[in-house]
Amino acid sequence: MLVERTFLQKLILFLKGLAMGAANKVPGVSGGTVSFVFGFYEELIYSFRKVNLKAFRLLLNGRFKSFYSYINGSFLLLVMGGSVFSYFSISLILDYFLDNFELYVWSWFFGMIIGSIYYIGKDFGEWNFKNILSLVIGASIGIGISFLTPATENDNLWFVFVCGIIGVSGMTLPGLSGSFILILLGNYVLLLVDSVNVLFSVVTSVLSGDFTVLSDPIKIRYLKIISVFTAGSTFGLVSISHVLGYVLKRWNQIVNAVIIGFITGSLGIVWPWKKAVFLQENGDFLIDKKGNKIVENYERFVPDFSNLETWTAVFYIVLGILLILVIDFYGRKKK
């Protein structure tokens, strides 16, 4: 699975990591879908599986070069580096467009997911009874998740650790949005908005020579939360990838059918025409640290096709589909 890459290939892989990181932050969109469509999903799972006891023994024995080679370090560094960098760059741009052009962003994602279903399904192979049943089960779970009622925020560190394990599923399971799962668990704002913002604030303050932030109890609390969440995410990445690697090897077609089902079911979450339902307590809207109302869930509706805005959204859906088709065409031409 180890692949020698040119500088251009490494740059493209880093950009793919950026796309995956941005997708992971958007509720309803799966970073795993991005890795699946961009063709590095299996290498991602393979590399995560290499983070095991043998890897830790190499690390503890000071065999850093062997450790780096064993875990496919070059690949992981580029992809994960791109994903992390995306949280403080591309995802901020994405936040701007979601705030100002929400319908069109969701439409674009909706189109890309439709294109992804075609992209993954076209070379699937035989659709026998087992595979069709797996597809239906995956789609049913994906649709069912979109109608669950979210819980309230919980900053207990054990629960935050569990959120890390579950939330990272969007990176390893195409079609299952980790961000949307965190909304259902009630901790999306705490873990992916407030804690990330505090971490960014602390890092910039420390780099500028201001160490007083390290004595601020509120900031320390958020740093503890994001540290535990990161630990849970790391544990989840490694453990889930080991399970996935095993089942992909034994039941490849069935697992892929479930993944296609997940992605199809996620269309209900990403449906562009929806209205945010905000969390309330005693009749008052709850707000996050930035003063924004906290989203509880979404109320979906059928659009008005006599409206120009609706047709503009349809245009972005088609644009999203075409983007995936272009990626498919480029991939085939390259082969």
Side-chain angles (χ1 to χ4, degrees), residues 248-305:
L248 274 169
K249 192 173 181 179
R250 294 200 61 175
W251 304 289
N252 187 273
Q253 276 206 319
I254 290 175
V255 174
N256 280 316
V258 172
I259 287 172
I260 294 171
F262 266 143
I263 294 172
T264 305
S266 74
L267 287 172
I269 302 172
V270 192
W271 178 252
W273 293 278
K274 54 181 175 281
K275 183 173 67 176
V277 178
F278 297 104
L279 200 60
Q280 295 186 53
E281 192 174 274
N282 301 322
D284 297 321
F285 289 110
L286 297 181
I287 58 173
D288 59 28
K289 304 297 179 185
K290 296 172 69 178
N292 300 318
K293 287 185 283 189
I294 298 173
V295 176
E296 180 181 10
N297 212 325
Y298 294 95
E299 187 179 289
R300 296 161 187 86
F301 59 89
V302 177
D304 178 7
F305 285 97

Side-chain angles (χ1 to χ4, degrees), residues 138-304:
S140 301
I141 295 171
I143 293 168
I145 286 171
S146 68
F147 290 100
L148 292 176
T149 303
T152 55
E153 185 174 288
N154 184 346
D155 63 356
N156 181 282
L157 293 182
W158 279 109
F159 185 71
V160 168
F161 185 81
V162 171
C163 285
I165 296 173
I166 298 173
V168 81
S169 59
M171 192 177 290
T172 51
L173 291 170
L176 190 61
S177 167
S179 297
F180 190 76
I181 296 295
L182 289 179
I183 284 181
L184 296 177
L185 294 172
N187 273 5
Y188 175 78
V189 173
L190 174 68
L191 299 174
L192 293 188
V193 180
D194 293 341
S195 294
V196 170
N197 289 338
V198 169
L199 175 64
F200 183 69
S201 170
V202 169
V203 170
T204 51
S205 295
V206 169
L207 289 176
S208 64
D210 178 14
F211 294 93
T212 58
V213 290
L214 298 177
S215 59
D216 185 334
I218 295 175
K219 285 185 168 58
I220 292 299
R221 171 179 168 266
Y222 278 110
L223 289 177
K224 283 180 181 177
I225 287 170
I226 199 166
S227 298
V228 172
F229 177 67
T230 303
S233 298
T234 305
F235 178 79
L237 275 176
V238 175
S239 56
I240 294 172
S241 62
H242 274 79
V243 174
L244 275 173
Y246 175 77
V247 296
L248 274 169
K249 192 173 181 179
R250 294 200 61 175
W251 304 289
N252 187 273
Q253 276 206 319
I254 290 175
V255 174
N256 280 316
V258 172
I259 287 172
I260 294 171
F262 266 143
I263 294 172
T264 305
S266 74
L267 287 172
I269 302 172
V270 192
W271 178 252
W273 293 278
K274 54 181 175 281
K275 183 173 67 176
V277 178
F278 297 104
L279 200 60
Q280 295 186 53
E281 192 174 274
N282 301 322
D284 297 321
F285 289 110
L286 297 181
I287 58 173
D288 59 28
K289 304 297 179 185
K290 296 172 69 178
N292 300 318
K293 287 185 283 189
I294 298 173
V295 176
E296 180 181 10
N297 212 325
Y298 294 95
E299 187 179 289
R300 296 161 187 86
F301 59 89
V302 177
D304 178 7

Side-chain angles (χ1 to χ4, degrees), residues 14 17-18 21-22 78-89 91 171 199:
F14 179 79
L18 284 179
L78 289 165
V79 172
M80 300 310 295
S83 296
V84 171
F85 183 74
S86 176
Y87 264 73
F88 302 105
S89 55
S91 61
M171 192 177 290
L199 175 64

Side-chain angles (χ1 to χ4, degrees), residues 30-49:
S30 166
T33 303
V34 172
S35 66
F36 211 103
V37 171
F38 283 169
F40 63 93
Y41 178 72
E42 288 198 13
E43 187 174 359
L44 186 71
I45 297 301
Y46 167 85
S47 302
F48 286 148
R49 287 185 70 199

